[in-house]
Amino acid sequence: MAVAQDKMTKVCVFLERHVLPPTPLNYQVVYTYISQVNNDLNSAIERAIASNTLIDSLFTEQLYFEHLNQGHATEVSMIENVNGVINSLSKSAQHTEKQFINFAGHISECMHSLDENNIKNSRIALTRLDQQTATLLTQHKQFKQQLSNAKQLHEKTKKQLNTLRKQHIIDSQTGLYKRHYLTKQVQIWANQHKPVCAIAIQIDNLDHFIDNFGDVIAEAILSKVAKQVQKYVFQSGLAGRTAKDQFTVLLTDVDCETTNLIAEKVRAGVAKLRFISSKSALALPAIKLSLGIAQQQQADFEQLTKSASNAAFKARSLGQNSFTAEH
C-alpha cells in the first residue's frame, strides 16, 4: 500500500512539474515511467529530460502509441487475416466452379453415349446425376452468396479499422499527423539514406489568444493555421502537430532553397488570415509566426525537430520571420 501511494505521489509530482493535465493517457505513461517496467519508454523520457525537450501531452501521446499501445498492430493483423480468408474463399469458389463446369461436361458426354438397348436404366442413372447436379449447383449458389456476404463484411471491417487507424495517426484538433507517425516516417527515410528537412512553425501569440479570447478562439486559430500548412505541403511533404503551439513539416529529397520557399509560402498564407470577434465585432490581433528550418543527412526525429524548433526560437529572438540552423 505504501509503495502504491509513493508511486501515485511521484506521478502527481511529475505531472505538476511538466504542467501535464491528469488525463488517463498521461497518467498511464507517467505511472509506467515511475514504475520502471518499460525500458524503452523510460529511456525516451530520460533522453527528453536530459535534452530539455518539452514534455507535453503531444509528447506523452507519442510515447503511448510507440511503447504502450499495441492496438494498431492488432488492427493491421486483423485486416491481413480477413484478407487471407477472403482470398482463400475466392480461390475455393473459382476451383469449385471449374469442377461444376467439368461435371456438366461429363453429363453432356454421357447423354450422347446412351445405350439404346438399355434405355430405362440409362434414364434412371441420368436422372440421379441430374438431381446431384442440381444439388451441387444450389450449394454453389449458396456458397457464392456467403462469399458475397463475407466480402461486404470485409469491406465494412476494413473501413472501421481504417477509421481507427486514422484516429491513431491524425490529430483531431488540426487534422495533421501526430508525433509518433512523423517519428516512424523519419525512421523510414533514414533507413533509405534520404536527407530530411524540417520546418518548425511556432505560433508565438497562441497563449495571448487563449488568455484574452478563450480556448474556442485559440482552437480556431490552430485549425486555420493547420489548413494553411496543409495547403502548401500537401504533395511535397508531411505536416504534423508536435507541440501545443507548434507544427512541423517534414520534407525529403528537397534542397534548402525549396524548403525556404515552402516556409515563406506558409508564413505569407497565415499573414493573410484575419479574425473578427463575433461578440464585439472587433478585429483580433494578427497571428505571429516564427519559423525554423533544419536539415539532417541521417535524420533522427527528436534531434531534427529540436534543431528546427531552436531555429524558430532563434528567429523570434532576432526579430526575423525564419532562421535556418547550420547543418
Side-chain angles (χ1 to χ4, degrees):
M1 184 68 178
V3 174
Q5 185 64 43
D6 181 57
K7 287 183 178 180
M8 291 180 64
T9 300
K10 291 180 178 179
V11 168
C12 293
V13 170
F14 188 98
L15 293 173
E16 184 176 356
R17 180 185 303 147
H18 296 281
V19 197
L20 290 168
T23 62
L25 187 148
N26 286 341
Y27 186 87
Q28 182 177 352
V29 170
V30 177
Y31 187 86
T32 303
Y33 168 67
I34 296 299
S35 300
Q36 302 284 310
V37 294
N38 189 312
N39 293 333
D40 292 337
L41 182 142
N42 278 68
S43 296
I45 293 179
E46 293 296 341
R47 285 195 302 270
I49 293 174
S51 61
N52 293 320
T53 299
L54 176 65
I55 298 178
D56 59 7
S57 292
L58 294 178
F59 181 76
T60 57
E61 182 181 55
Q62 175 188 354
L63 295 177
Y64 173 76
F65 282 115
E66 288 183 351
H67 303 294
L68 298 180
N69 179 43
Q70 300 300 320
H72 176 55
T74 301
E75 291 161 9
V76 171
S77 177
M78 287 174 61
I79 292 178
E80 291 176 350
N81 288 339
V82 172
N83 281 333
V85 171
I86 296 299
N87 291 335
S88 177
L89 285 171
S90 297
K91 291 179 180 179
S92 178
Q94 293 172 2
H95 179 69
T96 303
E97 188 170 6
K98 289 180 180 179
Q99 288 181 323
F100 284 136
I101 293 173
N102 292 335
F103 182 71
H106 290 314
I107 295 298
S108 178
E109 291 177 2
C110 181
M111 292 183 65
H112 288 294
S113 59
L114 287 175
D115 185 358
E116 295 181 356
N117 298 321
N118 197 358
I119 296 177
K120 182 177 180 181
N121 290 337
S122 296
R123 287 180 176 176
I124 293 174
L126 287 175
T127 300
R128 290 176 179 175
L129 284 173
D130 184 61
Q131 292 173 345
Q132 291 175 356
T133 301
T135 301
L136 287 173
L137 288 174
T138 300
Q139 292 175 348
H140 178 59
K141 184 178 179 180
Q142 293 173 346
F143 176 80
K144 290 182 69 175
Q145 183 60 49
Q146 291 173 350
L147 177 62
S148 176
N149 294 340
K151 285 182 177 179
Q152 292 177 8
L153 177 61
H154 168 249
E155 290 300 320
K156 180 180 179 181
T157 303
K158 188 163 67 172
K159 288 180 180 179
Q160 291 174 337
L161 292 176
N162 285 337
T163 299
L164 289 174
R165 181 175 181 271
K166 184 177 179 180
Q167 291 174 353
H168 282 320
I169 67 175
I170 299 297
D171 177 60
S172 60
Q173 195 172 28
T174 62
L176 302 183
Y177 288 112
K178 294 182 179 180
R179 284 180 65 105
H180 68 91
Y181 180 80
L182 298 182
T183 301
K184 292 181 180 179
Q185 187 58 53
V186 169
Q187 185 59 53
I188 291 173
W189 287 334
N191 293 338
Q192 297 171 346
H193 305 290
K194 291 184 177 181
V196 182
C197 288
I199 305 173
I201 304 167
Q202 180 78 35
I203 305 178
D204 295 331
N205 55 343
L206 183 64
D207 285 336
H208 175 77
F209 283 105
I210 295 175
D211 295 339
N212 293 276
F213 304 103
D215 291 334
V216 175
I217 295 297
E219 289 179 3
I221 298 293
L222 281 170
S223 177
K224 291 293 185 181
V225 174
K227 287 181 179 179
Q228 288 295 318
V229 173
Q230 283 180 316
K231 179 179 178 180
Y232 293 109
V233 302
F234 178 70
Q235 294 181 335
S236 56
L238 295 176
R241 186 183 183 189
T242 48
K244 180 186 75 172
D245 53 0
Q246 182 176 287
F247 306 113
T248 298
V249 175
L250 299 177
L251 305 161
T252 185
D253 293 332
V254 298
D255 53 33
C256 290
E257 183 178 351
T258 302
T259 303
N260 279 280
L261 180 61
I262 293 174
E264 176 56 26
K265 284 186 176 181
V266 171
R267 187 204 63 76
V270 173
K272 295 177 182 177
L273 296 176
R274 295 291 182 269
F275 296 90
I276 298 177
S277 172
S278 59
K279 294 182 179 179
S280 62
L282 295 176
L284 300 182
I287 301 172
K288 297 179 181 179
L289 295 185
S290 294
L291 291 86
I293 300 170
Q295 183 179 36
Q296 288 184 359
Q297 293 295 325
Q298 295 295 326
D300 173 84
F301 178 76
E302 297 300 334
Q303 293 179 2
L304 181 62
T305 53
K306 184 176 181 180
S307 180
S309 181
N310 289 340
F313 283 114
K314 184 75 172 179
R316 181 179 180 182
S317 65
L318 295 175
Q320 300 176 355
N321 292 327
S322 65
F323 183 83
T324 301
E326 295 183 1
H327 299 345

